[in-house]
Coordinates of all heavy atoms in Angstrom, one line a residue:
G13 N -70.7 126.4 -88.4 CA -70.2 125.3 -89.1 C -69.9 124.1 -88.1 O -70.8 123.6 -87.4
G14 N -68.7 123.7 -88.0 CA -68.3 122.7 -87.1 C -68.6 123.0 -85.6 O -68.8 122.1 -84.8
G15 N -68.6 124.3 -85.3 CA -69.0 124.8 -84.0 C -70.4 124.4 -83.6 O -70.7 124.0 -82.5
C16 N -71.3 124.4 -84.6 CA -72.6 123.9 -84.5 C -72.6 122.4 -84.3 O -73.5 121.9 -83.6 CB -73.5 124.3 -85.7 SG -74.5 125.8 -85.5
G17 N -71.7 121.8 -84.9 CA -71.6 120.3 -84.8 C -71.2 120.0 -83.3 O -71.8 119.0 -82.8
L18 N -70.4 120.7 -82.7 CA -70.1 120.5 -81.3 C -71.3 120.7 -80.4 O -71.5 119.9 -79.5 CB -69.0 121.5 -80.8 CG -67.6 121.3 -81.3 CD1 -66.7 122.4 -80.8 CD2 -67.0 120.0 -81.0
V19 N -72.1 121.7 -80.7 CA -73.3 122.0 -80.0 C -74.3 120.8 -80.2 O -74.9 120.4 -79.2 CB -74.0 123.3 -80.5 CG1 -75.4 123.5 -79.9 CG2 -73.1 124.5 -80.1
A20 N -74.4 120.3 -81.4 CA -75.3 119.2 -81.7 C -74.9 117.9 -80.9 O -75.8 117.1 -80.6 CB -75.4 119.0 -83.2
C21 N -73.6 117.8 -80.7 CA -73.1 116.5 -80.0 C -73.3 116.6 -78.5 O -73.1 115.6 -77.8 CB -71.7 116.3 -80.3 SG -71.4 115.8 -82.0
S22 N -73.6 117.8 -77.9 CA -73.6 117.9 -76.5 C -75.0 117.6 -76.0 O -76.0 117.8 -76.6 CB -73.3 119.4 -76.1 OG -71.9 119.7 -76.6
D23 N -75.0 117.1 -74.7 CA -76.3 116.7 -74.1 C -77.2 117.8 -73.6 O -78.4 117.8 -73.7 CB -76.0 115.7 -73.0 CG -75.3 114.5 -73.5 OD1 -75.8 113.8 -74.3 OD2 -74.1 114.3 -73.0
V24 N -76.5 118.8 -73.1 CA -77.2 120.0 -72.6 C -76.4 121.2 -73.1 O -75.2 121.3 -72.9 CB -77.2 120.1 -71.0 CG1 -78.1 121.3 -70.5 CG2 -77.8 118.8 -70.4
V25 N -77.2 122.2 -73.7 CA -76.5 123.4 -74.3 C -77.1 124.6 -73.7 O -78.4 124.8 -73.8 CB -76.6 123.4 -75.8 CG1 -75.9 124.6 -76.4 CG2 -76.2 122.1 -76.4
V26 N -76.3 125.5 -73.1 CA -76.7 126.7 -72.6 C -76.0 127.8 -73.3 O -74.8 127.8 -73.5 CB -76.4 126.9 -71.1 CG1 -76.9 128.2 -70.5 CG2 -77.0 125.7 -70.3
A27 N -76.7 128.8 -73.8 CA -76.1 129.9 -74.7 C -76.5 131.2 -74.1 O -77.6 131.4 -73.6 CB -76.6 129.7 -76.1
E28 N -75.7 132.2 -74.4 CA -76.0 133.6 -74.0 C -77.0 134.1 -75.1 O -77.0 133.6 -76.2 CB -74.7 134.4 -74.0 CG -74.1 134.6 -75.3 CD -72.9 135.6 -75.3 OE1 -72.5 136.0 -74.2 OE2 -72.3 135.9 -76.3
P29 N -77.8 135.2 -74.7 CA -78.8 135.7 -75.7 C -78.1 136.2 -77.0 O -78.8 136.2 -78.0 CB -79.4 136.8 -74.9 CG -79.2 136.5 -73.4 CD -77.9 135.8 -73.4
Q30 N -76.9 136.7 -76.9 CA -76.3 137.3 -78.1 C -75.6 136.2 -79.0 O -75.1 136.6 -80.1 CB -75.2 138.3 -77.7 CG -75.7 139.5 -76.9 CD -76.0 139.2 -75.4 OE1 -75.4 138.2 -74.9 NE2 -76.8 139.9 -74.8
A31 N -75.6 135.0 -78.6 CA -75.0 133.9 -79.4 C -75.5 133.8 -80.8 O -76.7 134.0 -81.0 CB -75.1 132.6 -78.7
Q32 N -74.7 133.5 -81.8 CA -75.1 133.4 -83.2 C -74.7 132.0 -83.7 O -73.6 131.5 -83.4 CB -74.4 134.4 -84.0 CG -74.8 135.9 -83.8 CD -76.2 136.1 -84.4 OE1 -76.4 135.9 -85.6 NE2 -77.1 136.6 -83.6
F33 N -75.6 131.4 -84.4 CA -75.4 130.0 -84.9 C -75.5 130.0 -86.4 O -76.1 130.9 -87.0 CB -76.4 129.1 -84.3 CG -76.4 129.0 -82.8 CD1 -77.1 130.0 -82.0 CD2 -75.7 128.1 -82.1 CE1 -77.0 130.0 -80.6 CE2 -75.6 128.0 -80.7 CZ -76.3 129.0 -80.0
G34 N -75.0 128.9 -87.0 CA -75.2 128.8 -88.5 C -74.5 127.6 -89.0 O -73.3 127.3 -88.6
F35 N -75.2 126.9 -89.9 CA -74.6 125.8 -90.7 C -74.1 126.5 -92.0 O -74.8 126.4 -93.0 CB -75.6 124.7 -91.0 CG -76.1 124.1 -89.7 CD1 -77.3 124.5 -89.1 CD2 -75.4 123.1 -89.0 CE1 -77.8 124.0 -88.0 CE2 -75.9 122.6 -87.8 CZ -77.1 123.0 -87.3
S36 N -73.0 127.1 -91.9 CA -72.5 128.1 -92.9 C -71.8 127.5 -94.1 O -71.3 128.2 -95.0 CB -71.7 129.2 -92.3 OG -70.6 128.6 -91.5
E37 N -71.7 126.2 -94.2 CA -70.9 125.5 -95.2 C -71.2 125.9 -96.6 O -70.4 126.1 -97.5 CB -70.9 124.0 -95.0 CG -70.1 123.5 -93.8 CD -70.9 123.5 -92.5 OE1 -72.0 124.1 -92.5 OE2 -70.3 123.0 -91.5
V38 N -72.6 126.0 -96.9 CA -73.0 126.2 -98.3 C -72.5 127.6 -98.8 O -72.3 127.8 -100.0 CB -74.5 126.2 -98.5 CG1 -75.0 124.7 -98.3 CG2 -75.2 127.1 -97.5
K39 N -72.2 128.5 -97.9 CA -71.6 129.8 -98.3 C -70.2 129.7 -98.9 O -69.8 130.6 -99.6 CB -71.6 130.8 -97.1 CG -72.9 131.0 -96.4 CD -73.9 131.8 -97.3 CE -75.1 132.2 -96.5 NZ -76.1 132.8 -97.4
L40 N -69.6 128.5 -98.6 CA -68.3 128.2 -99.2 C -68.3 127.2 -100.3 O -67.3 126.7 -100.8 CB -67.3 127.7 -98.1 CG -67.2 128.6 -96.8 CD1 -66.4 127.9 -95.8 CD2 -66.6 129.9 -97.2
G41 N -69.6 126.9 -100.7 CA -69.7 125.9 -101.8 C -69.6 124.5 -101.3 O -69.4 123.6 -102.2
I42 N -69.6 124.2 -100.0 CA -69.5 122.8 -99.5 C -70.8 122.5 -98.7 O -71.8 123.3 -98.7 CB -68.3 122.6 -98.7 CG1 -68.2 123.6 -97.6 CG2 -67.0 122.7 -99.6 CD1 -66.9 123.4 -96.7
V43 N -70.9 121.4 -98.0 CA -72.1 121.1 -97.3 C -71.7 120.6 -95.9 O -70.6 120.1 -95.6 CB -72.9 120.0 -98.0 CG1 -73.5 120.5 -99.3 CG2 -72.0 118.7 -98.3
P44 N -72.6 120.7 -94.9 CA -72.3 120.2 -93.5 C -72.5 118.7 -93.4 O -73.2 118.2 -92.5 CB -73.4 121.0 -92.7 CG -74.5 121.1 -93.6 CD -73.9 121.3 -95.0
A45 N -71.8 117.9 -94.2 CA -72.1 116.5 -94.3 C -71.6 115.8 -93.0 O -72.4 115.0 -92.5 CB -71.3 115.9 -95.5
V46 N -70.4 116.1 -92.5 CA -69.9 115.3 -91.4 C -70.8 115.5 -90.1 O -71.0 114.6 -89.4 CB -68.4 115.6 -91.2 CG1 -67.9 114.8 -90.0 CG2 -67.6 115.3 -92.4

């Protein structure tokens, strides 16, 4: 969700192989608008 927003705002992103991502808002009936 918003954690993905932080990632999207960063210039360089390094992640561990086990990291999990998701724009999960629709699972709550909302949208990742902001």
Side-chain angles (χ1 to χ4, degrees):
C16 262
L18 291 178
V19 170
C21 289
S22 299
D23 300 298
V24 184
V25 184
V26 182
E28 67 175 6
Q30 298 80 22
Q32 292 285 307
F33 302 84
F35 300 97
S36 50
E37 286 83 354
V38 291
K39 301 295 188 183
L40 304 176
I42 56 178
V43 292
V46 180

